[in-house]
Amino acid sequence: DAKTTQPPSMDCAEGRAANLPCNHSTISGNEYVYWYRQIHSQGPQYIIHGLKNNETNEMASLIITEDRKSSTLILPHATLRDTAVYYCIVRVALGVDKLTFGKGITLSVRP
Amino acid sequence: DTGVSQDPRHKITKRGQNVTFRCDPISEHNRLYWYRQTLGQGPEFLTYFQNEAQLEKSRLLSDRFSAERPKGSFSTLEIQRTEQGDSAMYLCASSFGQDNEKLFFGSGTQLSVL
């Protein structure tokens, strides 16, 4: 079973920041938070991951609360191409721990 | 294109027929995963390989399903005696297999069993 909960959907205006929430209240100390997204008719795509510090890359920023029970993925300037299902996943980073996907959150970016 | 390649993209078959899908991972990736995804759901793990060794299989993988990865390169997923419930998107992913691994997914094979 997925260890995260996400709202089913949200939308935002093109050019604005999209803040996607995720709850992972049972996360263990050795589990990381990963985000993937899946654009229609494509396979999932890795976005970002983190342990406890905030992380930023060319695609997004990840903000993890101090107690690590929740996180937010931020797309700073959403475009129409960011319309997708976004999956928040917790997994152990060491060794092999398969990705367990939930239903994700559907982000719709409107013009 | 040096991404994960899956073939075919679409497969329509009749119930009871056997089907085989192929996945070509990114070169030098030693881990290869198979997932299945039905409409409105996230991908579900089926099995994974480390090089040519199949190291884990989900209970979702019934006896009618078999996966191979000869020589640790491409992989095949075969479904025997297909059932309508097998209709789904079958996704393949590969990775370097290091800690904090990132999985790279193909675009999947959409199977429709009539």
Side-chain angles (χ1 to χ4, degrees):
Chain A
D1 291 336
K3 302 175 184 178
T4 63
T5 56
Q6 301 175 257
S9 63
M10 66 175 290
D11 62 25
C12 75
E14 188 177 21
R16 304 298 294 270
N19 298 305
L20 287 71
C22 180
N23 287 322
H24 30 80
S25 58
T26 61
I27 192 170
S28 301
N30 62 347
E31 289 180 316
Y32 283 63
V33 180
Y34 285 74
W35 284 83
Y36 280 73
R37 75 178 182 183
Q38 187 172 23
I39 296 170
H40 183 62
S41 297
Q42 297 182 20
Q45 175 192 24
Y46 167 85
I47 301 173
I48 199 168
H49 75 280
L51 181 64
K52 54 184 177 181
N53 298 320
N54 298 338
E55 302 288 344
T56 295
N57 63 20
E58 65 279 5
M59 292 183 69
S61 294
L62 175 60
I63 308 299
I64 302 174
T65 58
E66 192 169 345
D67 64 7
R68 302 209 322 123
K69 292 185 177 181
S70 66
S71 61
T72 301
L73 179 75
I74 301 172
L75 307 179
H77 306 287
T79 70
L80 298 180
R81 289 176 295 179
D82 292 322
T83 293
V85 178
Y86 287 77
Y87 298 99
C88 171
I89 301 165
V90 297
R91 67 187 291 259
V92 176
L94 300 178
V96 178
D97 187 18
K98 56 188 179 291
L99 291 177
T100 300
F101 292 83
K103 292 187 177 182
I105 178 172
T106 299
L107 173 67
S108 300
V109 180
R110 60 182 187 275
Chain B
D1 185 12
T2 56
V4 177
S5 176
Q6 292 190 245
D7 183 69
R9 285 297 310 274
H10 304 275
K11 178 70 177 179
I12 300 174
T13 191
K14 293 183 178 179
R15 188 175 50 191
Q17 297 295 304
N18 300 343
V19 294
T20 300
F21 311 139
R22 178 181 171 120
C23 171
D24 287 274
I26 293 173
S27 178
E28 298 177 355
H29 277 190
N30 61 355
R31 283 188 192 157
L32 187 147
Y33 297 79
W34 284 99
Y35 281 79
R36 180 174 69 185
Q37 185 174 25
T38 54
L39 196 62
Q41 304 296 316
E44 297 174 295
F45 169 79
L46 291 179
T47 188
Y48 96 92
F49 293 82
Q50 176 104 359
N51 299 312
E52 65 275 10
Q54 187 174 16
L55 297 185
E56 185 175 349
K57 293 195 293 185
S58 163
R59 64 180 185 277
L60 294 174
L61 214 64
S62 76
D63 292 343
R64 297 184 297 105
F65 287 70
S66 62
E68 295 182 341
R69 193 183 182 198
K71 303 179 183 178
S73 56
F74 72 92
S75 176
T76 58
L77 177 68
E78 180 183 17
I79 308 175
Q80 296 182 326
R81 305 180 303 282
T82 53
E83 302 174 354
Q84 288 185 324
D86 297 331
S87 295
M89 174 75 78
Y90 290 83
L91 293 161
C92 175
S94 69
S95 78
F96 278 115
Q98 79 283 23
D99 294 338
N100 284 311
E101 65 177 331
K102 303 172 189 176
L103 268 61
F104 294 82
F105 284 82
S107 294
T109 295
Q110 181 66 53
L111 172 67
S112 297
V113 182
L114 305 179

